[in-house]
Amino acid sequence: MTIRNWIKFFLMSLLIGGGVTAISSLFIRWDFFQPYLVAGEFGEFIAALAWMVLLGFTMSVIAQAGYFAYLTLHQVGVNIFRTLTLWNWVQMLLILVVLIDLIIFRFAPGAETAKDWLFYIGLLLVLVFGAVATAVQKVKMTGKKHILIPSVFFMIVITSLEWIIALMGRQDNINTYVALLLFPLVAVNAYQLLMLPKYNAKSEEDRKNLEERRKARKLLKIKQ
């Protein structure tokens, strides 16, 4: 990828992270924003919303680091297990392990009531259905069925590792951030998975155009 296209990719991911966090925070943390609006403190409201955008930017950067780490991991996995089929089976096993870990070691310690369990199961469904929907769309875009499992693996396993920042917390209002941080991670990771090939293709096109311009300039100098 060229530097120009990488910057576009980075900034768009950043905007998605910030925008999704800001919008979701208005629903998830309405109790935080409402007093400012009731009191007419619109400056404080905007400052609070800006803080949420900044939080989204941070999660976007974490998601981008996680994605490029996964690209390396995927290649290493294929090299170690020799075939993509075997590596896919390993990824399926890891997906199952991560989901069990989320339920037993992350959700269970903080779930004291049925309402808590509904909350956590709802977030788990967001993660799983978001992963499956993104993976299915990836297959449709590429026409390659074998990338279904790697896509689900990335969306569930890598997103869960990025989400661990919130899941390991035990503060009184930690559930708010557990929910709030999931949405930008899913959104940014879905965008990266679906859109990176387009940026790569655009980079390849830009390199070809640049090479053609260089040849044209050389030809012009020869004629002169």
Side-chain angles (χ1 to χ4, degrees):
M1 187 186 299
T2 61
I3 296 297
R4 183 174 65 177
N5 284 303
W6 177 82
I7 292 174
K8 290 180 181 179
F9 181 72
F10 173 80
L11 291 177
M12 185 57 68
S13 299
L14 208 64
L15 290 174
I16 290 173
V20 169
T21 304
I23 293 171
S24 59
S25 70
L26 292 174
F27 297 93
I28 297 172
R29 297 222 58 192
W30 179 243
D31 60 326
F32 175 65
F33 292 104
Q34 187 180 24
Y36 296 130
L37 292 178
V38 172
E41 298 176 348
F42 299 109
E44 294 295 330
F45 172 80
I46 293 174
L49 194 62
W51 165 251
M52 293 300 172
V53 172
L54 182 61
L55 179 62
F57 286 169
T58 303
M59 300 315 297
S60 175
V61 172
I62 292 174
Q64 292 183 64
Y67 183 48
F68 286 102
Y70 167 72
L71 294 177
T72 302
L73 173 65
H74 180 70
Q75 190 59 49
V76 170
V78 172
N79 292 337
I80 291 175
F81 295 100
R82 300 297 182 181
T83 66
L84 185 59
T85 300
L86 182 56
W87 172 229
N88 278 348
W89 278 105
V90 172
Q91 289 181 98
M92 289 175 65
L93 177 61
L94 291 174
I95 291 170
L96 182 61
V97 169
V98 167
L99 290 176
I100 292 174
D101 175 80
L102 284 175
I103 295 171
I104 296 177
F105 298 106
R106 309 302 169 189
F107 296 163
E112 300 176 353
T113 65
K115 184 179 179 180
D116 292 334
W117 275 112
L118 287 175
F119 170 76
Y120 284 121
I121 294 303
L123 293 181
L124 186 63
L125 291 176
V126 170
L127 176 64
V128 172
F129 280 110
V132 173
T134 302
V136 169
Q137 183 62 27
K138 180 73 172 180
V139 171
K140 289 181 179 179
M141 290 175 63
T142 61
K144 300 176 181 179
K145 294 182 179 180
H146 66 272
I147 66 174
L148 179 68
I149 299 302
S151 298
V152 173
F153 175 86
F154 167 69
M155 289 298 298
I156 291 180
V157 175
I158 303 302
T159 300
S160 296
L161 292 175
E162 296 161 353
W163 195 24
I164 205 74
I165 299 171
L167 291 172
M168 291 182 68
R170 288 292 177 262
Q171 300 97 304
D172 291 338
N173 66 337
I174 190 61
N175 282 349
T176 299
Y177 287 97
V178 166
L180 186 60
L181 299 186
L182 175 62
F183 291 99
L185 289 175
V186 171
V188 173
N189 281 338
Y191 175 79
Q192 292 182 114
L193 189 64
L194 296 176
M195 298 305 296
L196 182 63
K198 290 188 176 183
Y199 282 93
N200 286 335
K202 184 64 169 62
S203 296
E204 185 62 28
E205 180 183 344
D206 289 345
R207 279 192 287 267
K208 288 181 179 179
N209 292 336
L210 179 61
E211 186 62 27
E212 289 177 359
R213 288 196 296 269
R214 286 175 177 173
K215 289 180 180 179
R217 285 197 295 268
K218 288 181 180 179
L219 183 62
L220 181 62
K221 287 181 180 179
I222 293 173
K223 290 181 178 180
Q224 291 175 346

